[in-house]
Amino acid sequence: MIIGGQQVPGHCDLIKLKQGGEIRGKLQKLASESGAVRIIETLTGGKIAVASQHIEFITNRPLSVEEYESRCNSIADTVEAHLELANWCSENHLTSQRHAELEKVLLLEPDHAKARAALGYTLRDGEWMTRDELMRKNGYIKYKGRYVSTAELELLEKNEAELAEERKWFKKVKLWLTLMNSNDAQLQQEGLKNIQTIKDPFAVSALARQMGKHENYLVRSLLVVTLSQITGDKPLRPLAELALTDPVQAIRKSALQALSKRDVSQAIVYFIEALKNRSNQIVQRAGEGLEVIGDESVVPELISALITSHTYRVRVPDTTSTYSFGTNGSFGNTGVVLPPDIEAGLLAGRYPNGVIVLPSQQPRVPMRTVSVKHSHQNEAVLSALQQITQQNFGYNQRLWQLWWSSTQNKTGIVPVVQ
């Protein structure tokens, strides 16, 4: 690009003003060490001096991103326009922007096959799913680039000696839980005391497997307390799972508190993965967990999860044309509206000609199940971002990304963040 008659590399600077608005161009070197005023040569060749106290932040971006945003703000909100812009993004290697345009296509036409395929979706049982979602639904987890079952994952992560040590605990934990469930108060106390004194890391697998999904919330609460006193990384996964999925808020809170008191660098991955969960409730809980953990490294993932789309299956009245069956043995648009199973049987020839279907005394409204996509603004994720960064750009993902880019700037331009 040409600025002021000179060829400029494929990047330009962006100044975000506190009062709103942006200035794009080539930032000049600081006129003084104080940096009280920044001068930027705009894309049209003019120069603008901006006092530092009016600047929110400064960042550097590729010109192709600038051009994308200009195109994005000017195109019509149609399937064709977004597809064309998605193709342009692909040609200019703007992966995330292409993804955004294809998502806009799906908002306008949820079953657009080409957009779904480009985003990695597969149609299974009437529902569009990504490969990861499909494999998770079938009980598989991604491990080092390939999908494995939960049982296989445990085997991959442990050697035979560790497995042997863990197996010793399964019978013990099962016995002590049985004692706790007995009618004898003395036996109950014996089982409880034995579990409360467990501190061996090799007992974690047995504890999590037999207590993590226990129907009695008191048993799950005991699990949190027991895991909290076991050292090492083994308790991190079950504590994270409790913090994310347990239906009782008090248990989720105590599991988070237990995590916050130890090195959780190995547990962060579970919360990051949960930010992409199909359930918005889990996404919100992941935001709460990451706020408690307070690690700045998760900021990009939090920004991406500020607004997430989720698909819901709902029952709605079926307004499509329906077969009816007349008393004279013919199909038509009049007569009795048939239940789906009866209709299917008639169409398949399972009933003899001349069958009479009597109308119900109650009016029947045919229903069908449809998929509805809804975008959520995730309050817990925003709260985590605000707490970790001490910044607040609301749900504006673009401003968050610009600000984060400015803090990670490696071009030699000093970010101005006040």
Side-chain angles (χ1 to χ4, degrees):
M1 176 170 283
I2 304 296
I3 297 181
Q6 296 182 344
Q7 183 72 31
V8 178
H11 286 71
C12 69
D13 303 312
L14 181 146
I15 294 179
K16 177 69 177 70
L17 302 174
K18 288 184 177 180
Q19 298 302 317
E22 301 168 358
I23 305 173
R24 297 178 177 87
K26 184 66 177 177
L27 198 67
Q28 306 296 298
K29 292 183 179 180
L30 291 173
S32 65
E33 293 184 1
S34 65
V37 175
R38 304 307 301 269
I39 298 176
I40 186 169
E41 184 175 357
T42 68
L43 300 179
T44 57
K47 292 185 178 181
I48 299 176
V50 185
S52 295
Q53 65 264 28
H54 299 313
I55 297 174
E56 185 79 49
F57 58 77
I58 297 172
T59 190
N60 181 270
R61 299 202 303 171
L63 287 174
S64 57
V65 175
E66 298 293 336
E67 185 174 351
Y68 164 73
E69 292 193 352
S70 297
R71 288 172 177 253
C72 185
N73 293 328
S74 62
I75 67 169
D77 189 22
T78 64
V79 168
E80 293 75 16
H82 289 300
L83 280 176
E84 184 179 349
L85 186 51
N87 291 333
W88 181 89
C89 291
S90 180
E91 293 170 358
N92 288 272
H93 312 292
L94 299 178
T95 304
S96 61
Q97 289 83 351
R98 173 177 179 267
H99 188 281
E101 292 304 314
L102 292 172
E103 288 287 357
K104 292 175 185 177
V105 170
L106 297 184
L107 289 176
L108 296 170
E109 190 177 325
D111 290 325
H112 195 284
K114 288 186 177 180
R116 287 284 184 184
L119 289 170
Y121 285 87
T122 302
L123 185 62
R124 291 293 174 89
D125 301 324
E127 183 178 357
W128 288 103
M129 289 182 283
T130 64
R131 177 167 173 76
D132 284 347
E133 290 171 340
L134 180 62
M135 296 304 288
R136 280 199 298 268
K137 185 176 181 180
N138 292 331
Y140 290 90
I141 301 169
K142 204 167 190 177
Y143 176 79
K144 294 184 178 180
R146 67 187 184 95
Y147 293 97
V148 298
S149 66
T150 304
E152 187 180 358
L153 178 64
E154 289 188 2
L155 291 172
L156 288 170
E157 292 180 337
K158 300 169 185 174
N159 58 41
E160 186 58 37
E162 289 178 315
L163 288 172
E165 289 296 323
E166 289 184 353
R167 291 191 193 102
K168 295 177 182 178
W169 282 100
F170 275 86
K171 289 185 178 180
K172 294 180 182 179
V173 172
K174 185 177 181 179
L175 171 62
W176 296 337
L177 282 174
T178 302
L179 294 179
M180 286 177 57
N181 198 41
S182 71
N183 295 323
D184 189 311
Q186 185 175 352
L187 292 177
Q188 291 176 8
Q189 288 298 315
E190 181 183 346
L192 175 62
K193 182 179 179 181
N194 283 324
I195 289 179
Q196 286 177 326
T197 56
I198 295 176
K199 294 185 180 180
D200 187 347
F202 289 113
V204 169
S205 183
L207 289 167
R209 189 80 61 85
Q210 300 187 50
M211 299 172 67
K213 300 295 182 182
H214 201 284
E215 60 183 14
N216 189 331
Y217 78 95
L218 293 175
V219 173
R220 303 197 306 275
S221 182
L222 173 62
L223 172 61
V224 175
V225 175
T226 306
L227 291 173
S228 300
Q229 64 192 20
I230 298 176
T231 59
D233 293 338
K234 291 183 182 296
L236 294 179
R237 176 183 288 182
L239 283 172
E241 289 177 352
L242 286 166
L244 288 167
T245 64
D246 198 278
V248 179
Q249 184 179 13
I251 294 177
R252 297 198 303 272
K253 185 177 180 180
S254 60
L256 266 179
Q257 289 175 339
L259 282 170
S260 67
K261 295 176 182 178
R262 56 175 72 211
D263 179 9
V264 292
S265 58
Q266 299 297 318
I268 289 178
V269 64
Y270 306 122
F271 290 90
I272 291 176
E273 179 65 23
L275 290 174
K276 304 173 186 176
N277 197 278
R278 296 176 66 182
S279 166
N280 185 254
Q281 187 177 57
I282 299 298
V283 173
Q284 296 277 23
R285 291 174 184 172
E288 294 171 359
L290 290 171
E291 179 175 352
V292 171
I293 294 171
D295 193 306
E296 192 181 57
S297 67
V298 303
V299 167
E301 285 77 12
L302 287 170
I303 293 173
S304 296
L306 273 171
I307 302 174
T308 54
S309 294
H310 301 267
T311 301
Y312 301 91
R313 302 283 284 172
V314 296
R315 297 278 289 168
V316 298
D318 189 356
T319 58
T320 58
S321 59
T322 341
Y323 281 108
S324 60
F325 187 64
T327 56
N328 62 355
S330 63
F331 287 103
N333 293 322
T334 59
V336 182
V337 177
L338 302 178
D341 54 341
I342 301 296
E343 179 186 330
L346 288 168
L347 291 172
R350 291 201 298 268
Y351 301 106
N353 190 29
V355 167
I356 297 176
V357 181
L358 297 176
S360 169
Q361 299 302 312
Q362 299 295 328
R364 178 180 177 276
V365 179
M367 304 290 287
R368 64 191 178 100
T369 302
V370 298
S371 295
V372 178
K373 179 172 281 190
H374 180 72
S375 293
H376 294 269
Q377 292 183 336
N378 298 314
E379 184 178 355
V381 175
L382 177 60
S383 176
L385 271 174
Q386 293 171 339
Q387 179 67 29
I388 292 172
T389 67
Q390 298 301 304
Q391 302 290 326
N392 184 14
F393 301 110
Y395 293 100
N396 192 324
Q397 289 173 299
R398 176 179 176 276
L399 285 185
W400 277 108
Q401 288 164 349
L402 286 171
W403 172 80
W404 180 249
S405 176
S406 74
T407 66
Q408 307 299 303
N409 204 325
K410 305 299 182 183
T411 62
I413 301 171
V414 180
V416 180
V417 182
Q418 300 175 352

